[in-house]
Amino acid sequence: MGSTEVTPIPKKLNESNDIGDVYGPNLKILPCNNQVKELQTILRDKNTTRSDFKFYADRLIRLVIEESLNQLPFSKCVVTTPTGAKYNGLKYQKGNCGVSIVRSGEAMEQGLRDCCRSIRIGKILVESDADTHEAKVVYAKFPDDISERKVLLMYPIMSTGNTVIKAIAVLKEHNVIEENIILSNLFCTPIAAKSLVTAFPQMKILTSEIHSIAPNHFGQKYFGTD
């Protein structure tokens, strides 16, 4: 009998070892389960109505924001329960803020406020030049002490990473150190992921999916500006 050649099954890119090998240790992907995959599918489906799109986008945003918050520093604390017992717990360290990249990043602001009620949120507007297509920052508004804060940067769709790179450059101009930035994202292409981890290796990135096709209709569909 002749030998039978067995073709190894390739691992999924979402496996942590592969992600770390390709993109380094600071890029993390939201743990994928059937619920997450369903949300991603609905948002990519061209037949999804706008009301359904916004509803399910908000659900995925909330999951991504919750996981992004896990990247923030905590400190130990002791509280007293209603029965008088002592409980050893955790609390967020002070000095966190959000920054959304206008306009699609604003879709993620409510998800952050739902988790952190009083958190301060800044904004960055990046536009592409009509002739050169080069991205440039035209507006930025931050808390005065942003250089002393951990920054949750919000932008749902990354195709090339150029917009985010410009936004991070502005944060660094305001003396925000790279390791204090956590980029919260829904969908990212491999090109964008590689560009960002190469340009900012100390920044943390949390996304729900790395895929070669990004749902670039997200902002128009979410805000109803098709």
Side-chain angles (χ1 to χ4, degrees):
M1 296 176 63
S3 60
T4 302
E5 183 178 352
V6 178
T7 302
I9 300 174
K11 294 181 179 180
K12 295 180 179 179
L13 184 60
N14 280 6
E15 293 186 10
S16 58
N17 289 340
D18 292 338
I19 289 296
D21 291 343
V22 176
Y23 301 110
N26 285 332
L27 187 147
K28 302 180 186 300
I29 294 183
L30 184 72
C32 189
N33 53 38
N34 290 341
Q35 176 185 208
V36 171
K37 195 65 178 179
E38 182 196 29
L39 296 176
Q40 293 168 340
T41 302
I42 292 171
L43 297 183
R44 289 181 177 277
D45 188 350
K46 68 177 184 180
N47 295 317
T48 300
T49 64
R50 190 214 160 210
S51 60
D52 281 349
F53 185 94
K54 188 176 184 304
F55 177 82
Y56 291 107
D58 286 340
R59 283 187 59 195
L60 184 59
I61 287 168
R62 179 64 179 263
L63 293 173
V64 169
I65 290 293
E66 293 275 12
E67 189 63 29
S68 298
L69 293 174
N70 280 330
Q71 312 305 314
L72 292 172
F74 290 81
S75 58
K76 294 181 179 180
C77 67
V78 179
V79 297
T80 303
T81 71
T83 62
K86 299 296 183 182
Y87 178 79
N88 297 318
L90 294 174
K91 63 179 180 180
Y92 283 122
Q93 292 182 9
K94 292 183 178 180
N96 303 316
C97 72
V99 172
S100 63
I101 302 177
V102 180
R103 181 182 188 194
S104 60
E106 293 175 306
M108 305 180 74
E109 290 182 5
Q110 188 58 50
L112 178 59
R113 288 194 178 98
D114 287 343
C115 299
C116 305
R117 184 172 55 184
S118 60
I119 195 167
R120 299 184 67 183
I121 297 179
K123 295 180 185 289
I124 301 176
L125 174 59
V126 180
E127 292 184 347
S128 296
D129 186 273
D131 298 322
T132 65
H133 301 290
E134 180 182 356
K136 61 179 181 180
V137 176
V138 297
Y139 174 82
K141 179 67 174 177
F142 308 127
D144 293 336
D145 59 348
I146 193 170
S147 62
E148 302 170 12
R149 295 173 178 264
K150 298 282 185 179
V151 177
L152 191 68
L153 182 62
M154 298 173 285
Y155 196 58
I157 310 298
M158 295 191 296
S159 295
T160 64
N162 291 340
T163 298
V164 175
I165 288 173
K166 287 290 184 180
I168 295 169
V170 174
L171 289 173
K172 296 183 76 170
E173 288 173 4
H174 284 74
N175 299 316
V176 178
I177 60 176
E178 196 173 302
E179 50 264 44
N180 280 353
I181 303 172
I182 300 167
L183 175 60
S184 187
N185 167 258
L186 300 186
F187 299 97
C188 182
T189 66
I191 292 174
K194 196 65 178 177
S195 295
L196 287 166
V197 299
T198 300
F200 309 107
Q202 302 303 315
M203 178 182 69
K204 293 181 180 179
I205 302 172
L206 193 287
T207 184
S208 88
E209 185 181 42
I210 295 180
H211 194 281
S212 58
I213 301 173
N216 292 319
H217 64 290
F218 182 92
Q220 291 85 353
K221 191 90 169 186
Y222 188 94
F223 292 108
T225 56
D226 296 21

